[in-house]
Amino acid sequence: MLFAFICQDNPGSLQLRMDTRPEHVEWLNSINADGTVTFAGPFLDAEGKPNGSLVVVKAETIERARAIAAADPYAKVGLFASVDVRPWNWVFNKPEA
């Protein structure tokens, strides 16, 4: 099952995001060793600067998806004002289709 993490950064936290980015990318690579991450990337503000994240993962349950989201270094350092974990169905342009 797929789950989308819709993450909104705290205001004024761009430097925290940039400082934590190497750990975040390393973490994404490590959990993707078994294909957990379907895709991921930042939301951008009007100036093109990151201000949130969209991460889609494969997980057996929503509880497991929430545990994955909580393990993100961005979440651990308090970057996010909110993280919404939602079941998601990939219908259009799905590579396996």
Coordinates of all heavy atoms in Angstrom, one line a residue:
M1 N 0.8 -1.2 0.0 CA 0.0 0.0 0.0 C 0.9 1.2 0.0 O 2.0 1.2 0.6 CB -0.9 0.0 1.2 CG -1.8 1.1 1.4 SD -3.0 0.8 2.7 CE -4.5 1.4 1.9
L2 N 0.4 2.3 -0.7 CA 1.2 3.5 -0.7 C 0.6 4.6 0.3 O -0.6 4.6 0.5 CB 1.1 4.1 -2.1 CG 1.8 3.3 -3.2 CD1 1.6 4.0 -4.6 CD2 3.3 3.2 -3.0
F3 N 1.5 5.4 0.8 CA 1.2 6.4 1.7 C 1.9 7.7 1.3 O 3.1 7.6 1.0 CB 1.5 6.1 3.2 CG 0.7 4.9 3.7 CD1 1.1 3.6 3.6 CD2 -0.6 5.2 4.3 CE1 0.4 2.6 4.0 CE2 -1.3 4.1 4.8 CZ -0.9 2.8 4.6
A4 N 1.2 8.8 1.3 CA 1.8 10.1 1.1 C 2.0 10.9 2.4 O 1.1 10.9 3.2 CB 0.9 10.9 0.1
F5 N 3.2 11.4 2.5 CA 3.5 12.3 3.6 C 3.5 13.7 3.1 O 4.3 14.1 2.2 CB 4.9 12.1 4.2 CG 5.3 10.7 4.6 CD1 6.6 10.3 4.8 CD2 4.3 9.7 4.8 CE1 7.0 9.0 5.1 CE2 4.6 8.4 5.2 CZ 6.0 8.1 5.3
I6 N 2.6 14.5 3.6 CA 2.5 15.9 3.1 C 3.0 16.8 4.3 O 2.3 16.8 5.3 CB 1.0 16.2 2.8 CG1 0.6 15.3 1.7 CG2 0.9 17.7 2.3 CD1 -0.9 15.2 1.5
C7 N 4.2 17.3 4.1 CA 4.9 18.0 5.2 C 5.0 19.5 5.0 O 5.4 19.9 3.9 CB 6.3 17.4 5.4 SG 6.3 15.6 5.4
Q8 N 4.6 20.3 5.9 CA 4.8 21.7 5.9 C 5.8 22.2 6.8 O 5.8 21.9 8.0 CB 3.4 22.4 6.2 CG 3.4 23.9 6.1 CD 3.7 24.4 4.7 OE1 3.1 23.9 3.8 NE2 4.6 25.3 4.6
D9 N 6.8 22.9 6.3 CA 7.9 23.4 7.2 C 7.4 24.5 8.1 O 6.5 25.2 7.8 CB 9.0 24.0 6.3 CG 9.8 23.0 5.5 OD1 9.5 21.8 5.5 OD2 10.8 23.4 4.8
N10 N 8.1 24.6 9.3 CA 7.8 25.7 10.1 C 8.3 27.0 9.4 O 9.3 27.0 8.7 CB 8.6 25.6 11.4 CG 7.9 24.6 12.4 OD1 6.8 24.8 12.8 ND2 8.6 23.6 12.8
P11 N 7.6 28.1 9.7 CA 8.1 29.4 9.1 C 9.5 29.7 9.5 O 9.9 29.4 10.6 CB 7.1 30.4 9.7 CG 5.9 29.7 10.1 CD 6.4 28.3 10.5
G12 N 10.3 30.3 8.6 CA 11.7 30.7 8.9 C 12.6 29.6 9.1 O 13.7 29.8 9.7
S13 N 12.3 28.4 8.6 CA 13.2 27.2 8.9 C 14.0 26.8 7.7 O 14.6 25.6 7.7 CB 12.3 26.1 9.4 OG 11.4 25.7 8.4
L14 N 14.2 27.6 6.7 CA 15.0 27.2 5.5 C 16.4 26.8 5.9 O 16.9 25.8 5.4 CB 15.0 28.3 4.5 CG 15.8 28.0 3.2 CD1 15.2 26.8 2.5 CD2 15.8 29.2 2.2
Q15 N 17.1 27.5 6.8 CA 18.4 27.2 7.1 C 18.5 25.8 7.8 O 19.4 25.0 7.5 CB 19.1 28.2 8.0 CG 20.6 28.0 8.2 CD 21.3 28.0 6.9 OE1 21.2 29.0 6.1 NE2 22.1 27.0 6.6
L16 N 17.5 25.5 8.7 CA 17.5 24.2 9.3 C 17.3 23.1 8.3 O 17.9 22.1 8.3 CB 16.3 24.2 10.3 CG 16.1 22.9 11.1 CD1 17.4 22.5 11.9 CD2 14.9 22.9 12.0
R17 N 16.4 23.4 7.3 CA 16.3 22.4 6.2 C 17.6 22.2 5.5 O 18.0 21.0 5.2 CB 15.2 22.9 5.2 CG 15.1 22.0 4.0 CD 14.0 22.6 3.0 NE 12.7 22.1 3.4 CZ 12.2 20.9 3.0 NH1 12.9 20.1 2.2 NH2 11.0 20.5 3.4
M18 N 18.3 23.2 5.1 CA 19.5 23.1 4.3 C 20.6 22.4 5.2 O 21.3 21.6 4.7 CB 20.0 24.5 3.9 CG 19.0 25.2 3.0 SD 18.2 24.2 1.7 CE 19.6 23.9 0.6
D19 N 20.6 22.7 6.5 CA 21.6 22.1 7.3 C 21.4 20.6 7.5 O 22.3 19.8 7.7 CB 21.7 22.8 8.7 CG 22.2 24.2 8.7 OD1 22.8 24.6 7.7 OD2 22.0 24.9 9.7
T20 N 20.1 20.2 7.5 CA 19.8 18.8 7.8 C 19.6 18.0 6.5 O 19.6 16.8 6.5 CB 18.4 18.8 8.5 OG1 18.5 19.7 9.7 CG2 18.1 17.4 9.1
R21 N 19.7 18.7 5.3 CA 19.4 18.0 4.0 C 20.3 16.8 3.8 O 19.9 15.7 3.4 CB 19.5 19.0 2.9 CG 19.1 18.3 1.6 CD 19.1 19.4 0.4 NE 18.5 18.8 -0.8 CZ 19.2 17.9 -1.6 NH1 20.5 17.6 -1.4 NH2 18.6 17.4 -2.7
P22 N 21.7 16.9 4.1 CA 22.5 15.7 3.8 C 22.0 14.4 4.6 O 22.0 13.3 4.1 CB 23.9 16.1 4.2 CG 23.9 17.6 4.1 CD 22.5 18.0 4.4
E23 N 21.7 14.6 5.9 CA 21.1 13.5 6.7 C 19.8 13.0 6.1 O 19.6 11.8 6.1 CB 20.9 13.9 8.1 CG 22.2 14.2 8.9 CD 21.9 14.8 10.2 OE1 21.2 14.2 11.0 OE2 22.3 16.0 10.4
H24 N 19.0 13.9 5.7 CA 17.7 13.5 5.1 C 17.9 12.7 3.8 O 17.2 11.6 3.7 CB 16.9 14.8 4.8 CG 15.6 14.6 4.0 ND1 14.5 14.0 4.5 CD2 15.4 14.9 2.7 CE1 13.6 14.0 3.6 NE2 14.1 14.5 2.5
V25 N 18.7 13.1 3.0 CA 19.0 12.4 1.7 C 19.6 11.0 2.0 O 19.2 10.0 1.4 CB 19.9 13.2 0.7 CG1 20.3 12.4 -0.5 CG2 19.1 14.5 0.3
E26 N 20.5 11.0 2.9 CA 21.1 9.7 3.3 C 20.1 8.8 3.9 O 20.1 7.6 3.6 CB 22.2 10.0 4.4 CG 23.0 8.7 4.8 CD 24.0 9.0 5.8 OE1 24.7 10.1 5.7 OE2 24.2 8.2 6.7
W27 N 19.2 9.3 4.7 CA 18.1 8.5 5.3 C 17.2 8.0 4.2 O 16.8 6.8 4.1 CB 17.3 9.3 6.3 CG 16.1 8.7 6.8 CD1 16.0 7.7 7.7 CD2 14.7 9.0 6.4 NE1 14.6 7.3 7.9 CE2 13.9 8.1 7.1 CE3 14.2 9.8 5.4 CZ2 12.5 8.1 6.9 CZ3 12.8 9.9 5.3 CH2 12.0 9.0 6.0
L28 N 16.8 8.8 3.2 CA 16.0 8.4 2.1 C 16.6 7.2 1.3 O 16.0 6.2 1.0 CB 15.6 9.5 1.1 CG 14.6 10.6 1.6 CD1 14.6 11.7 0.6 CD2 13.2 9.9 1.7
N29 N 17.9 7.4 1.0 CA 18.7 6.4 0.3 C 18.7 5.1 1.1 O 18.5 4.0 0.6 CB 20.1 6.8 0.0 CG 20.1 7.8 -1.1 OD1 19.4 7.7 -2.1 ND2 21.0 8.7 -1.1
S30 N 18.9 5.2 2.5 CA 18.9 3.9 3.3 C 17.6 3.2 3.4 O 17.6 2.0 3.3 CB 19.5 4.3 4.7 OG 18.5 4.9 5.5
I31 N 16.5 3.9 3.5 CA 15.2 3.2 3.6 C 14.7 2.8 2.2 O 13.8 2.0 2.1 CB 14.1 4.1 4.3 CG1 13.7 5.3 3.5 CG2 14.5 4.4 5.7 CD1 12.4 5.9 3.9
N32 N 15.4 3.3 1.1 CA 15.0 2.9 -0.2 C 15.7 1.7 -0.7 O 15.5 1.2 -1.8 CB 15.1 4.0 -1.2 CG 14.3 3.8 -2.5 OD1 13.2 3.4 -2.4 ND2 15.0 4.0 -3.6
A33 N 16.6 1.1 0.1 CA 17.4 -0.1 -0.3 C 16.4 -1.2 -0.6 O 16.7 -2.0 -1.5 CB 18.3 -0.5 0.9
D34 N 15.2 -1.3 0.0 CA 14.3 -2.3 -0.3 C 13.1 -1.8 -1.1 O 12.0 -2.4 -1.2 CB 13.8 -2.9 1.0 CG 13.0 -2.0 1.9 OD1 12.9 -0.8 1.5 OD2 12.5 -2.4 2.9
G35 N 13.2 -0.6 -1.7 CA 12.2 0.0 -2.5 C 11.0 0.7 -1.8 O 9.9 0.9 -2.3
T36 N 11.3 1.1 -0.5 CA 10.3 1.8 0.3 C 9.8 3.1 -0.3 O 8.6 3.4 -0.3 CB 10.8 2.0 1.7 OG1 11.1 0.7 2.3 CG2 9.8 2.7 2.6
V37 N 10.7 3.9 -0.8 CA 10.4 5.2 -1.3 C 9.9 5.1 -2.8 O 10.7 4.7 -3.6 CB 11.6 6.2 -1.2 CG1 11.2 7.6 -1.7 CG2 12.1 6.3 0.3
T38 N 8.7 5.6 -3.0 CA 8.2 5.6 -4.4 C 8.7 6.9 -5.1 O 9.2 6.8 -6.2 CB 6.7 5.5 -4.4 OG1 6.3 4.3 -3.7 CG2 6.1 5.5 -5.8
F39 N 8.6 8.0 -4.5 CA 9.2 9.3 -4.9 C 9.1 10.3 -3.8 O 8.4 10.1 -2.8 CB 8.5 9.8 -6.2 CG 7.1 10.1 -6.1 CD1 6.6 11.2 -5.6 CD2 6.1 9.1 -6.6 CE1 5.2 11.5 -5.5 CE2 4.8 9.4 -6.5 CZ 4.3 10.5 -6.0
A40 N 9.9 11.3 -3.9 CA 10.0 12.3 -2.9 C 10.6 13.6 -3.5 O 11.3 13.6 -4.4 CB 10.9 11.9 -1.7
G41 N 10.2 14.7 -2.8 CA 10.7 16.0 -3.3 C 10.1 17.1 -2.5 O 9.1 17.0 -1.8
P42 N 10.7 18.3 -2.5 CA 10.2 19.5 -1.8 C 9.1 20.2 -2.5 O 9.0 20.3 -3.7 CB 11.4 20.4 -1.6 CG 12.2 20.1 -2.9 CD 12.0 18.7 -3.2
F43 N 8.2 20.8 -1.6 CA 7.3 21.8 -2.1 C 8.1 23.1 -2.2 O 9.1 23.3 -1.4 CB 6.1 22.0 -1.2 CG 5.1 20.9 -1.2 CD1 5.0 20.0 -0.1 CD2 4.4 20.6 -2.3 CE1 4.1 19.0 -0.1 CE2 3.5 19.5 -2.4 CZ 3.3 18.7 -1.2
L44 N 7.7 24.0 -3.0 CA 8.5 25.3 -3.2 C 7.5 26.5 -3.0 O 6.4 26.5 -3.3 CB 9.0 25.4 -4.6 CG 9.9 24.2 -5.0 CD1 10.3 24.4 -6.5 CD2 11.1 24.1 -4.1
D45 N 8.1 27.5 -2.4 CA 7.4 28.8 -2.2 C 7.4 29.6 -3.5 O 8.0 29.2 -4.5 CB 7.9 29.6 -1.0 CG 9.3 30.1 -1.1 OD1 9.9 30.1 -2.3 OD2 9.9 30.5 -0.1
A46 N 6.9 30.8 -3.4 CA 6.8 31.7 -4.6 C 8.1 32.1 -5.2 O 8.3 32.4 -6.3 CB 6.0 32.9 -4.3
E47 N 9.2 32.0 -4.3 CA 10.5 32.3 -4.7 C 11.3 31.1 -5.1 O 12.5 31.2 -5.4 CB 11.2 33.1 -3.6 CG 10.6 34.4 -3.2 CD 11.2 35.0 -1.9 OE1 12.0 34.3 -1.3 OE2 10.7 36.1 -1.6
G48 N 10.7 30.0 -5.2 CA 11.3 28.7 -5.6 C 12.2 28.1 -4.5 O 13.0 27.2 -4.8
K49 N 12.0 28.5 -3.2 CA 12.7 27.9 -2.1 C 11.9 26.8 -1.4 O 10.6 27.0 -1.3 CB 13.1 29.0 -1.1 CG 14.0 30.0 -1.7 CD 14.4 31.1 -0.7 CE 15.4 32.1 -1.4 NZ 15.5 33.3 -0.6
P50 N 12.5 25.7 -1.0 CA 11.7 24.7 -0.3 C 11.0 25.1 0.9 O 11.6 25.9 1.7 CB 12.8 23.6 0.1 CG 14.0 24.0 -0.7 CD 13.9 25.5 -1.0
N51 N 9.8 24.7 1.1 CA 9.0 25.0 2.3 C 8.1 23.9 2.8 O 7.2 24.0 3.6 CB 8.1 26.3 2.0 CG 7.0 26.0 1.0 OD1 7.0 25.0 0.4 ND2 6.2 27.0 0.8
G52 N 8.4 22.7 2.3 CA 7.7 21.5 2.7 C 8.2 20.3 1.9 O 9.1 20.4 1.1
S53 N 7.6 19.2 2.1 CA 8.0 17.9 1.4 C 6.8 17.1 1.1 O 5.8 17.1 1.8 CB 8.9 17.1 2.3 OG 10.1 17.7 2.6
L54 N 6.9 16.4 0.0 CA 6.0 15.3 -0.4 C 6.9 14.0 -0.5 O 7.8 14.0 -1.3 CB 5.3 15.6 -1.7 CG 4.5 14.5 -2.3 CD1 3.3 14.1 -1.4 CD2 3.9 14.8 -3.7
V55 N 6.5 13.0 0.3 CA 7.2 11.7 0.2 C 6.1 10.7 0.1 O 5.2 10.7 0.9 CB 8.0 11.5 1.5 CG1 8.8 10.2 1.4 CG2 9.0 12.6 1.7
V56 N 6.3 9.8 -0.9 CA 5.4 8.7 -1.0 C 6.1 7.4 -0.8 O 7.2 7.2 -1.4 CB 4.7 8.7 -2.4 CG1 3.8 7.4 -2.6 CG2 3.9 9.9 -2.6
V57 N 5.6 6.6 0.2 CA 6.3 5.3 0.5 C 5.4 4.1 0.4 O 4.2 4.3 0.5 CB 6.9 5.4 2.0 CG1 7.9 6.5 2.1 CG2 5.8 5.5 3.0
K58 N 6.0 3.0 0.3 CA 5.2 1.7 0.4 C 5.4 1.2 1.9 O 6.4 1.2 2.5 CB 5.9 0.7 -0.5 CG 5.8 1.0 -1.9 CD 6.5 0.0 -2.8 CE 6.6 0.5 -4.2 NZ 7.6 -0.3 -5.0
A59 N 4.2 0.9 2.5 CA 4.2 0.4 3.8 C 3.0 -0.6 4.0 O 2.0 -0.4 3.3 CB 4.1 1.5 4.8
E60 N 3.1 -1.5 4.9 CA 2.0 -2.5 5.1 C 0.8 -1.8 5.8 O -0.3 -2.2 5.6 CB 2.5 -3.6 6.0 CG 3.7 -4.3 5.4 CD 3.3 -5.6 4.7 OE1 2.3 -6.2 5.1 OE2 4.1 -6.1 3.9
T61 N 1.0 -0.9 6.7 CA 0.0 -0.3 7.5 C 0.2 1.2 7.6 O 1.4 1.7 7.5 CB -0.1 -0.9 8.9 OG1 1.1 -0.5 9.6 CG2 -0.3 -2.4 8.9
I62 N -0.8 2.0 8.0 CA -0.6 3.4 8.3 C 0.3 3.6 9.5 O 1.0 4.6 9.5 CB -2.0 4.1 8.4 CG1 -1.7 5.7 8.2 CG2 -2.7 3.8 9.7 CD1 -3.0 6.5 7.9
E63 N 0.2 2.7 10.4 CA 1.1 2.8 11.6 C 2.6 2.7 11.2 O 3.4 3.5 11.7 CB 0.8 1.8 12.7 CG -0.6 2.0 13.3 CD -1.8 1.5 12.5 OE1 -1.6 0.7 11.5 OE2 -2.9 1.9 12.8
R64 N 2.9 1.8 10.3 CA 4.2 1.7 9.8 C 4.6 2.9 9.0 O 5.7 3.4 9.1 CB 4.4 0.4 8.9 CG 5.7 0.3 8.3 CD 6.8 0.0 9.4 NE 8.1 0.0 8.7 CZ 9.2 0.7 9.1 NH1 9.1 1.4 10.2 NH2 10.3 0.6 8.5
A65 N 3.7 3.5 8.2 CA 4.0 4.7 7.4 C 4.3 5.8 8.4 O 5.2 6.6 8.2 CB 2.8 5.0 6.5
R66 N 3.5 6.0 9.4 CA 3.7 7.0 10.4 C 5.1 6.9 11.1 O 5.8 7.9 11.4 CB 2.6 7.1 11.5 CG 1.3 7.6 10.9 CD 0.2 7.6 11.9 NE -1.0 8.2 11.3 CZ -2.2 7.7 11.5 NH1 -2.4 6.6 12.3 NH2 -3.3 8.2 11.0
A67 N 5.5 5.6 11.4 CA 6.8 5.4 12.0 C 7.9 5.8 11.0 O 8.9 6.4 11.4 CB 6.9 3.9 12.4
I68 N 7.7 5.5 9.7 CA 8.7 5.9 8.7 C 8.8 7.5 8.7 O 9.9 8.0 8.7 CB 8.4 5.4 7.3 CG1 8.5 3.9 7.3 CG2 9.2 6.0 6.3 CD1 7.9 3.2 6.1
A69 N 7.7 8.1 8.7 CA 7.7 9.6 8.7 C 8.3 10.2 9.9 O 9.1 11.2 9.8 CB 6.2 10.1 8.6
A70 N 8.1 9.6 11.1 CA 8.7 10.1 12.3 C 10.2 9.9 12.3 O 10.9 10.6 13.0 CB 8.1 9.4 13.5
A71 N 10.7 8.9 11.6 CA 12.2 8.6 11.5 C 13.0 9.6 10.6 O 14.2 9.6 10.7 CB 12.4 7.2 11.1
D72 N 12.3 10.4 9.8 CA 12.9 11.3 8.9 C 13.7 12.3 9.7 O 13.2 12.9 10.7 CB 11.8 12.1 8.1 CG 12.4 13.0 7.0 OD1 13.5 13.5 7.1 OD2 11.6 13.3 6.1
P73 N 15.0 12.5 9.4 CA 15.8 13.5 10.1 C 15.2 14.9 10.1 O 15.3 15.6 11.1 CB 17.1 13.5 9.3 CG 17.3 12.1 8.8 CD 15.8 11.8 8.4
Y74 N 14.5 15.3 9.1 CA 13.8 16.6 9.1 C 12.7 16.6 10.3 O 12.6 17.6 11.0 CB 13.0 16.8 7.8 CG 13.9 17.3 6.6 CD1 13.4 17.2 5.3 CD2 15.1 17.8 6.8 CE1 14.1 17.6 4.3 CE2 15.9 18.2 5.7 CZ 15.4 18.2 4.4 OH 16.1 18.6 3.4
A75 N 12.0 15.5 10.4 CA 11.0 15.5 11.5 C 11.7 15.5 12.9 O 11.3 16.1 13.8 CB 10.2 14.2 11.4
K76 N 12.8 14.7 13.0 CA 13.5 14.6 14.3 C 14.1 16.0 14.7 O 14.2 16.2 15.9 CB 14.7 13.6 14.2 CG 14.2 12.2 14.1 CD 15.3 11.2 14.1 CE 14.9 9.8 14.2 NZ 16.0 8.9 14.3
V77 N 14.5 16.9 13.8 CA 15.0 18.2 14.2 C 13.9 19.2 14.3 O 14.2 20.4 14.6 CB 16.2 18.7 13.3 CG1 17.3 17.7 13.3 CG2 15.7 18.9 11.9
G78 N 12.7 18.9 14.1 CA 11.6 19.8 14.3 C 11.4 20.7 13.1 O 10.8 21.8 13.3
L79 N 11.8 20.3 11.9 CA 11.6 21.2 10.7 C 10.1 21.4 10.4 O 9.7 22.5 10.0 CB 12.3 20.6 9.5 CG 12.1 21.3 8.2 CD1 12.7 22.7 8.2 CD2 12.6 20.4 7.0
F80 N 9.3 20.4 10.6 CA 7.9 20.4 10.1 C 7.0 21.0 11.1 O 7.0 20.6 12.3 CB 7.5 19.0 9.7 CG 8.3 18.4 8.6 CD1 8.7 17.0 8.8 CD2 8.6 19.0 7.5 CE1 9.4 16.4 7.7 CE2 9.3 18.4 6.5 CZ 9.7 17.1 6.6
A81 N 6.1 21.9 10.6 CA 5.0 22.4 11.4 C 3.9 21.3 11.5 O 3.1 21.2 12.4 CB 4.5 23.7 10.8
S82 N 3.8 20.6 10.4 CA 2.8 19.5 10.3 C 3.2 18.4 9.3 O 3.9 18.7 8.4 CB 1.4 20.1 9.8 OG 1.5 20.6 8.5
V83 N 2.7 17.2 9.6 CA 3.0 16.1 8.7 C 1.6 15.3 8.7 O 1.1 14.8 9.7 CB 4.1 15.1 9.2 CG1 4.2 13.9 8.3 CG2 5.4 15.9 9.4
D84 N 1.1 15.3 7.5 CA -0.2 14.5 7.3 C 0.2 13.2 6.5 O 0.8 13.3 5.4 CB -1.1 15.4 6.4 CG -2.5 14.8 6.4 OD1 -2.8 13.9 7.1 OD2 -3.3 15.3 5.5
V85 N -0.1 12.1 7.1 CA 0.2 10.8 6.5 C -1.1 10.2 6.0 O -2.1 10.0 6.8 CB 0.8 9.8 7.4 CG1 1.1 8.4 6.8 CG2 2.2 10.4 8.0
R86 N -1.2 10.0 4.6 CA -2.5 9.6 4.0 C -2.3 8.4 3.1 O -1.3 8.4 2.3 CB -3.1 10.7 3.1 CG -3.5 12.0 3.8 CD -4.1 12.9 2.8 NE -4.4 14.2 3.4 CZ -5.0 15.1 2.8 NH1 -5.4 15.0 1.5 NH2 -5.3 16.3 3.4
P87 N -3.2 7.5 3.1 CA -3.2 6.4 2.1 C -3.3 7.1 0.7 O -4.1 8.0 0.6 CB -4.4 5.5 2.4 CG -4.7 5.9 3.8 CD -4.3 7.3 4.1
W88 N -2.6 6.5 -0.3 CA -2.6 7.1 -1.6 C -2.7 6.1 -2.6 O -2.1 5.0 -2.5 CB -1.4 8.0 -1.7 CG -1.3 8.8 -3.0 CD1 -2.1 9.9 -3.3 CD2 -0.5 8.6 -4.1 NE1 -1.8 10.4 -4.5 CE2 -0.8 9.6 -5.0 CE3 0.5 7.7 -4.4 CZ2 -0.1 9.7 -6.3 CZ3 1.2 7.8 -5.6 CH2 0.9 8.8 -6.5
N89 N -3.4 6.3 -3.7 CA -3.6 5.4 -4.8 C -3.0 6.0 -6.1 O -3.5 7.0 -6.6 CB -5.1 5.0 -5.0 CG -5.3 4.0 -6.0 OD1 -4.4 3.2 -6.3 ND2 -6.5 4.0 -6.6
W90 N -2.0 5.4 -6.6 CA -1.3 5.9 -7.8 C -2.1 5.3 -9.0 O -2.1 4.1 -9.3 CB 0.1 5.4 -7.9 CG 1.0 6.1 -8.9 CD1 0.6 6.9 -9.9 CD2 2.4 6.1 -8.9 NE1 1.7 7.4 -10.6 CE2 2.8 6.9 -10.0 CE3 3.4 5.6 -8.1 CZ2 4.1 7.1 -10.3 CZ3 4.7 5.8 -8.4 CH2 5.1 6.5 -9.5
V91 N -2.8 6.2 -9.7 CA -3.7 5.8 -10.9 C -3.1 6.1 -12.2 O -2.9 5.3 -13.1 CB -5.1 6.4 -10.7 CG1 -5.9 6.0 -11.9 CG2 -5.7 5.9 -9.4
F92 N -2.7 7.4 -12.4 CA -2.2 7.9 -13.7 C -0.7 7.9 -13.8 O 0.0 8.3 -12.9 CB -2.8 9.3 -13.9 CG -2.5 9.8 -15.3 CD1 -3.3 9.4 -16.4 CD2 -1.5 10.7 -15.5 CE1 -3.0 9.8 -17.6 CE2 -1.3 11.2 -16.8 CZ -2.0 10.8 -17.9
N93 N -0.2 7.4 -14.9 CA 1.3 7.4 -15.2 C 2.0 6.5 -14.2 O 3.2 6.8 -14.0 CB 1.9 8.8 -15.2 CG 1.9 9.4 -16.6 OD1 1.7 8.7 -17.6 ND2 2.2 10.7 -16.7
K94 N 1.4 5.5 -13.7 CA 2.1 4.6 -12.8 C 3.0 3.7 -13.6 O 2.6 3.1 -14.6 CB 1.0 3.7 -12.1 CG 1.6 2.8 -11.1 CD 0.5 2.1 -10.3 CE 1.0 1.2 -9.3 NZ -0.1 0.5 -8.6
P95 N 4.3 3.7 -13.3 CA 5.3 3.0 -14.1 C 5.0 1.5 -14.3 O 5.3 1.0 -15.4 CB 6.6 3.2 -13.3 CG 6.4 4.4 -12.5 CD 5.0 4.4 -12.2
E96 N 4.5 0.8 -13.3 CA 4.2 -0.6 -13.4 C 3.0 -0.9 -14.3 O 2.8 -2.0 -14.6 CB 4.0 -1.2 -12.0 CG 5.2 -1.1 -11.1 CD 5.1 0.2 -10.3 OE1 4.0 0.6 -9.9 OE2 6.2 0.7 -10.0
A97 N 2.2 0.1 -14.5 CA 0.9 -0.1 -15.3 C 1.2 -0.3 -16.8 O 2.1 0.0 -17.3 CB 0.0 1.1 -15.1

